[in-house]
Amino acid sequence: MAESAVSFLFGQLSVWLQEEQKLLVGFKEEVELIHGEIGQMRAFLKVADTKEERDPQLKEWVRQVREIAYDAEDVLERYMLQFAHHDTHGFRGYLKKIYAPLKNLKARRQIASEIKAIRLKLENASKRQQTFSDTYPVMNQGSSSTSARYDGRGDALLLEEVDVIGIEKPKELLLTWLSSINSGLKVISVVGMAGLGKTTLVKKVFDDASVKMKFDHHAWITVSESFNVENLLQNMIKRLLKDVKQPPPQGLEAMMADDMREFIYNFLQNKNYIIVLDDIWKIDAWEAVRYAFPRRTTHGRGCIIITTRISSIADASCSESNGHVYKLEPLPEEKSRELFYKKAFPTDSCPPDLEEISESILNRCEGLPLAIVVIGSLLATKNNKIEEWEMFYRSVGSELEGDHLKRISILLSLSFYDLPYYLKACFLYLSNFPKDQLIQKGRVIRLWTAEGFVEAKQGKIMEEIAEGYMNELLNRSLIQVSETFDDGRPRNFRIHDLLREYIIPKAREQNMAAIESQGEIQWPKSIRHLALDGFSNPTKQIYKGKNLRSLLFFGPGDSEWGPILYEVMRGDCRMLKVLELRGAPIDALPGEVFKLYHLKYLGLRDTRVKIIPKSIGNLGKLETLDLKRCGVTELPIEILQLQRLRNLLLYRCVYNHGYLECVQGFKAPYEIGRLLCLKKLCFIDVADAGSGRIKTVREVGKLTQLNRLGITKLRREDGKELCSSLEKLTNLRELLILSLEEGELIDLEYHLSPSTFPFLRGLFLQGRLEKIPRWIGSLNTLTRLFLKWSMLREDSLECIQGLPNLQTLNLNSASYEGLELCFKAGGFQRLHKLYLARLGGLRWVRVEKGSMPILHSMDVWDCKSLVEMPEGIEHLKNLKHVEFNDMAEEFVERLIDEKRNGGDQWRLAHVPLVVVDNCVNGEWRRVQL
């Protein structure tokens, strides 16, 4: 983790040396020397981070280097803060001009002294580095192998059948896949996070009698994260020969890798074999052995089973052989409880007084078999004393650091220390979020970027790089997707509770984060990130240190939190880069906030703040201003001074009984086009621009970097100017256009063509169209289309039914006015979800065979004129969920009768979940058919 801090400082210095040369006058040489010194340390630190856990002296040296990097960052940012701004207006400015040189001279001398001290510390650290290089010569070669401590992964190979619970169904599926192999090679991958039981599952399949009969040759090879190609191939040869009771060939230890691959290939040719490669961490391990296995054989058949924590390895290894990937999921609740009780109460049942605390502990395990087994076995030694059980529950985090749960901790640490340095800081940062809270992808991407964790790469925008970081954490099974957008992209994710408990002390140790919880705080020496949980009781003991870089508040929080937050913001927090106050009980910001020179992220979502003062213009480094669902409706013209602003989010969605009624945006300054760095702009109320409405629409065309744009209250006469602006926004990923009112025409035919939007994924149009603009039908990248108030007539769908990537279609609130809606054969080949809502005149829906072949979800809401279930719905063989909501009583009665009389021949008999939600006598009732 020191490498993360040092790399961040290295990047900051690189930027300052390029962009802030005027401010660095007198210090540039010293700063360049520091820049060069830490540049030389980075490669060494990447390896030292993985070895510090087993060497206390190395760990202390790494800590010292990390603190030096933090100190250097503090000194230089304090210097920037002091000299970047000077008020030279009025009489006070005149006095400042007189006394500033003396004051600046003193300050420069002080900072020069501090920079020199940092340089000396770095030189001493560099000398000490050589000592460790002599002790660990392999560190100079860039090895990233982790500790050789016993980690317990091999224990799964020795488990008896009685110790295994919950693998019956996955085992049966894997055996089915194996039985279908008749010739050639098939690869099966089992993927999932640490502790899920991948090795246990595969071992039970490997040992099954049917597998022993089907395959003549069997070999189990444990790969691990620190594999060596030659050793791996030697081990495979020995295992294969041992299985047939043959000695290894002479000279095996001296054989080249290519020769060993050839030996394995010839040995397996025309044979029936199964080989398990357990615990692959690097794609290199698969690449090293993949060509050792015959792919096409006349008489033989082969199967390779891989276990891994990394999804990309699972996918890559199976792709060539058209194999199978099995994603192992946590145990369901019942199986978790069965396994836990078996371990915690081996000779008896659960006592009534321990049932509640048992459920709480089980919830912390979240279906992770390893955690359930280890924790259950530990609690079995507590003699059923509820006091000891409750004490354990409160201290799970510290228990992970102790001897009792070391097996869990070591397995988790393998995943953590295998992370590249740039992901360690990002992953530890997630410890700031309260447990059980869904973590929004977009929010985290903006926070990581503002914190400086995201390294710039040529040809990519910062948000794309940050999203790549998140995908890498998902790929490594360290976070899990909990909610997706309609097109399948991750929206929200979560982190396993035990994994979060593991990284909390890591983050605190690195001064990365401090979490206020239940009023019990142990402040690290120099906190960089402080998270306050609004669900806990507020405390007066709030940290107000000068080193704080981010303050995160997780609402809602009661009124007592308001004065405390004001106190923190008025404190000595001048170095803040992130101020996230989502859901905080505040109605204004203190003036001190608008003096935060380094601030990059200001989040006031879901607060009571109504006015943004003119002093917002002082925040010249601000990148994100999140005012969603607060009381602000207008921004001062000073917002145009924020030339680095990338995300401007200011809107409120109004819902009525689950329907989106309207979107309330904000009145933008006429010259909004001056904010050239904007990536997201949502939503501008064009009607509120008055006489400057057309100019505001025209200004939007200057924001050529936009990838998300929302405009509300558009009038018909704005169409030509809007199209002219949109024609220039070729980077758009999402476009949302809402008319002034129902019946107002949106004219979108001018200038626009499919080539205008090469990357557009989402299109939301609310307003009268009468017909779908021609260019929409050729948007090859479009995945989501939402239409409202469109007033379309028959055959309107022909324009869009050929969209090659459309996954979600939402026809809402008078978007279609025909009596019949027909989905024709061959149309909507990639559609996953279909929503039909508030289509008052719709009487019939017809689905021709061959239309929407992979549709898995259909929702029909408040279509009161619909007299019967869609004709041809039985053709949709992949439907998983059908919901009818707020329909006419006649429709519901007919649907229920058809189900009752149809039996297995019912047209929806193939759909796992059919739900009817209807209001009866003022009460909503849900019936599952």
Side-chain angles (χ1 to χ4, degrees), residues 786-813:
F786 182 106
L787 299 176
K788 182 178 180 181
W789 299 349
S790 309
M791 300 184 183
L792 301 173
R793 306 299 297 178
E794 279 82 354
D795 299 329
S796 295
L797 296 186
E798 287 189 7
C799 175
I800 59 173
Q801 68 177 357
L803 287 170
N805 287 298
L806 189 67
Q807 297 179 25
T808 300
L809 176 62
N810 191 322
L811 301 178
N812 206 305
S813 300

Side-chain angles (χ1 to χ4, degrees), residues 164-180:
V164 182
I165 286 177
I167 67 168
E168 297 83 4
K169 288 186 177 179
K171 177 183 175 183
E172 182 180 342
L173 178 61
L174 263 61
L175 289 174
T176 300
W177 287 345
L178 287 174
S179 66
S180 66

